[in-house]
Amino acid sequence: MNRYGTDGKRGWRGTTALLALTLAGGLLLTGCGGDDDASSGAKDTTSDSRGGSAPMPAPDRPRGEGEQRYDGGTSSGGTRESGEGEKNGDSREIAPDPDYLSTFALDVDTASYGYARRTLSEGRLPDPSTVRPEEFVNSFRQDYQRPDGDGFSVTVDGARTDDEDWSLVRVGLATRPAERQSERPPAALTFVIDVSGSMAEPGRLDLAQEALGTMTDRLRDDDSVAIVTFSDEAETVLPMTRLGDRRGRVHDAIDGLEPMESTNLGAGVETGYETAVEGRREGATNRVVLVSDALANTGDTDADTILERVATERREHGVTLFGVGVGSDYGDALMERLADEGDGHTTYVSTTEDAREVFSEQLPRHIELTARDAKAQVAFDPETVAEFRLVGYDNRQVADEDFRDDRVDGGEVGPGHTVTALYAVRTRSGADGHLATATVRWLDPDSRTPHEESGVVETDALDDSVWDADRGLRVTATAAYFADALRTSDDGYDHGGSLPGAPGLSELSERADGLADRTEDEDLRELAEAIEDANRLA
């Protein structure tokens, strides 16, 4: 079984001419660039990325007679379908039909990395099903070139691995820097806070209360806040309230939160959205912020029913969801699904510093939503590429033919964000010339007008070694190799993961430690410590 992707035996000559198709222009939710703070836990890494931008979208390649298209295990609606070998949403064991297109919805979640660090620090290896490589990679902000105005820049680069003919190719997307606090639209935030008995554990409700109190003081006078709590039942303890001179009311509501009984997550989500819709403000960013360990144990615990409620409110009212996970026991899968259906994203907090950054820095500064239903499509050139595999994004894949179908759900992204996708690519022996074209497509959040931007990379842009590449690419590779090792069973911990050129955890720990020492970057030091913990526990 070919575990990496496609085998490009069939010719596709003449299709590179299609790559010169023209493109529409540019536009774009959260993240950081330049001097901005990282959104959703994304950490800053400096990179002098190679590759380039070009105004040409990836082609819809015509198929030969009898040829089938690889759609990443998705239906035409972009919903993942179960198949043999597809366990826990992991597509690595699927041998797809030959194809040279890869299409996925953008994802800015970072909760998987935060939760893995928490688990490792407690002396446990994370459950492989909770490890999503794209969230490890996107926890480190990249210094990609920023677009001049609304829209995305597209940077494509890569480097060789120790495995013959295998390279790691990085697709980097970036939006304009976030507006200053005073320049962004007003926000209408509905906080849905879990006050079940499990939230009494230190580092859960107390963490949220402290961070929410600080955030309240940092929001603008024209911002609005509502608070919904849920335990065995849900209650709106504060209707949508314009801050102004009413901050004391918000502080009183936050200070009065106390742990109670069971976790009726369904009731909390439903009441939260009802409150958000009742207090919805035209011209403002309307968002539900769910703070929970996502361990539903009473009331409506059926994930699909809860998710349908979120999806309905998203479609009808445009209210997006931001999930903040807490607790050593954490319903990772449910929180991620909620965020995906709610056109939002997730992060995970385990320390006061994490919580303060998420609530006090990221959320107020990066409230604006600037791109809806963003998708990426990468077209590999069969003249130079023999096979490829997208690292992660297992539950974000989209059928290739749905790339330009704007009815198909994508990801929501905002100003100041960077999104990275990493591919393992086997080039043909002696390959020279065009390697791939990456295109991002998104809708303007107000007019729903579609826009596209593309970037290309040539074979000569591949560095000789991943470990000698620029800093940003080395960090991306380190994070990806780490995630891959954590979700590779048994001897994968000792002998590296399934990615080409994967080092064992011992070697990876040394490389991460050296990178942290050279950069004196605290975020990279935390990554090195997490890899060291995993190596010790493996």
Side-chain angles (χ1 to χ4, degrees):
M1 179 179 289
N2 176 2
R3 75 190 305 178
Y4 284 107
T6 73
D7 184 5
K9 303 294 186 198
R10 284 177 287 228
W12 178 27
R13 300 184 182 277
T15 38
T16 48
L18 292 174
L19 296 173
L21 298 173
T22 19
L23 151 142
L27 276 164
L28 239 139
L29 155 20
T30 99
C32 304
D35 297 329
D36 296 322
D37 294 325
S39 172
S40 305
K43 312 301 182 184
D44 185 22
T45 67
T46 302
S47 120
D48 56 349
S49 301
R50 274 178 283 256
S53 294
M56 40 188 170
D60 286 330
R61 177 172 67 87
R63 285 172 279 181
E65 183 177 356
E67 182 182 348
Q68 295 187 3
R69 176 188 297 275
Y70 169 47
D71 67 3
T74 63
S75 68
S76 61
T79 302
R80 193 171 184 79
E81 297 176 342
S82 298
E84 183 180 355
E86 234 171 316
K87 308 298 184 187
N88 296 322
D90 188 346
S91 64
R92 292 177 300 158
E93 300 306 320
I94 299 297
D97 295 326
D99 198 350
Y100 289 90
L101 291 176
S102 171
T103 310
F104 59 95
L106 299 197
D107 191 349
V108 296
D109 293 351
T110 61
S112 178
Y113 174 65
Y115 187 45
R117 281 181 48 216
R118 166 73 177 260
T119 304
L120 289 165
S121 70
E122 294 177 342
R124 298 177 290 124
L125 289 169
D127 184 330
S129 69
T130 68
V131 177
R132 294 180 291 278
E134 71 277 13
E135 298 187 24
F136 279 56
V137 167
N138 283 315
S139 291
F140 298 89
R141 186 185 66 231
Q142 301 287 338
D143 190 24
Y144 302 130
Q145 180 180 355
R146 299 282 173 171
D148 293 334
D150 284 339
F152 286 89
S153 66
V154 182
T155 301
V156 194
D157 62 2
R160 308 284 182 180
T161 73
D162 293 338
D163 283 7
E164 185 177 3
D165 295 331
W166 280 99
S167 297
L168 296 181
V169 173
R170 180 178 62 161
V171 176
L173 309 174
T175 62
R176 61 172 171 79
E179 301 285 356
R180 295 177 181 175
Q181 172 84 332
S182 60
E183 297 174 351
R184 64 165 173 81
L189 306 176
T190 301
F191 290 91
V192 180
I193 303 172
D194 187 345
V195 292
S196 61
S198 60
M199 292 292 287
E201 175 190 306
R204 296 194 186 194
L205 183 56
D206 58 339
L207 199 66
Q209 284 177 293
E210 179 181 348
L212 286 170
T214 304
M215 182 209 66
T216 298
D217 292 332
R218 298 193 180 185
L219 288 172
R220 296 191 328 219
D221 286 348
D222 61 345
D223 292 329
S224 300
V225 170
I227 297 178
V228 171
T229 62
F230 66 95
S231 177
D232 54 334
E233 297 180 349
E235 177 187 5
T236 300
V237 298
L238 182 74
M240 192 64 72
T241 301
R242 192 81 62 103
L243 288 177
D245 59 358
R246 302 181 183 90
R247 295 177 196 270
R249 292 177 58 187
V250 180
H251 280 292
D252 289 343
I254 294 171
D255 294 342
L257 301 179
E258 294 182 353
M260 299 175 70
E261 299 176 13
S262 304
T263 307
N264 192 337
L265 182 59
V269 170
E270 182 169 356
T271 303
Y273 270 88
E274 288 175 352
T275 301
V277 170
E278 288 173 3
R280 185 175 179 274
R281 292 174 55 188
E282 292 292 338
T285 300
N286 296 272
R287 181 168 303 165
V288 169
V289 182
L290 174 62
V291 184
S292 176
D293 56 19
L295 299 174
N297 57 22
T298 192
D300 192 352
T301 60
D302 179 68
D304 290 335
T305 303
I306 299 173
L307 292 168
E308 178 56 30
R309 171 66 180 179
V310 173
T312 300
E313 297 297 350
R314 169 186 62 80
R315 289 191 297 265
E316 294 181 0
H317 302 287
V319 178
T320 57
L321 178 71
F322 178 31
V324 181
V326 295
S328 55
D329 293 322
Y330 169 54
D332 169 80
L334 178 55
M335 183 69 90
E336 188 208 11
R337 291 181 65 196
L338 284 168
D340 287 347
E341 290 293 329
D343 278 349
H345 62 287
T346 64
T347 190
Y348 178 86
V349 298
S350 60
T351 67
T352 301
E353 292 73 21
D354 288 343
R356 184 175 295 115
E357 180 181 352
V358 166
F359 289 109
S360 303
E361 302 297 334
Q362 296 170 16
L363 190 57
R365 187 174 296 182
H366 303 290
I367 284 171
E368 183 181 3
L369 178 65
T370 52
R372 285 193 179 274
D373 292 324
K375 307 182 209 106
Q377 186 170 84
V378 182
F380 291 94
D381 194 326
E383 300 297 324
T384 56
V385 174
E387 53 184 307
F388 66 90
R389 170 188 147 204
L390 175 61
V391 181
Y393 291 92
D394 294 313
N395 61 357
R396 302 294 286 164
Q397 295 179 26
V398 173
D400 295 335
E401 58 267 28
D402 288 340
F403 177 58
R404 293 190 173 91
D405 185 345
D406 296 326
R407 297 168 299 176
V408 175
D409 193 34
E412 276 53 50
V413 186
H417 214 99
T418 64
V419 180
T420 300
L422 192 68
Y423 287 86
V425 177
R426 181 169 70 84
T427 53
R428 298 188 182 279
S429 181
D432 183 37
H434 176 259
L435 186 76
T437 296
T439 302
V440 59
R441 180 181 178 89
W442 71 98
L443 304 181
D444 178 272
D446 298 321
S447 68
R448 302 285 176 147
T449 303
H451 300 272
E452 292 186 6
E453 187 64 72
S454 294
V456 299
V457 65
E458 305 287 314
T459 56
D460 60 7
L462 300 177
D463 279 311
D464 290 337
S465 170
V466 164
W467 305 115
D468 294 327
D470 67 67
R471 174 186 173 189
L473 184 52
R474 276 179 288 153
V475 172
T476 297
T478 300
Y481 279 135
F482 181 34
D484 194 57
L486 288 177
R487 70 176 193 166
T488 301
S489 60
D490 301 328
D491 63 348
Y493 285 115
D494 296 325
H495 302 102
S498 64
L499 284 177
L505 279 173
S506 182
E507 179 186 344
L508 189 63
S509 176
E510 292 179 4
R511 290 193 179 279
D513 195 58
L515 185 60
D517 285 343
R518 287 191 297 274
T519 60
E520 296 184 346
D521 186 315
E522 184 58 34
D523 297 322
L524 296 183
R525 172 55 57 199
E526 291 176 350
L527 173 62
E529 290 172 353
I531 298 174
E532 183 180 350
D533 288 341
N535 185 45
R536 185 172 59 253
L537 294 167

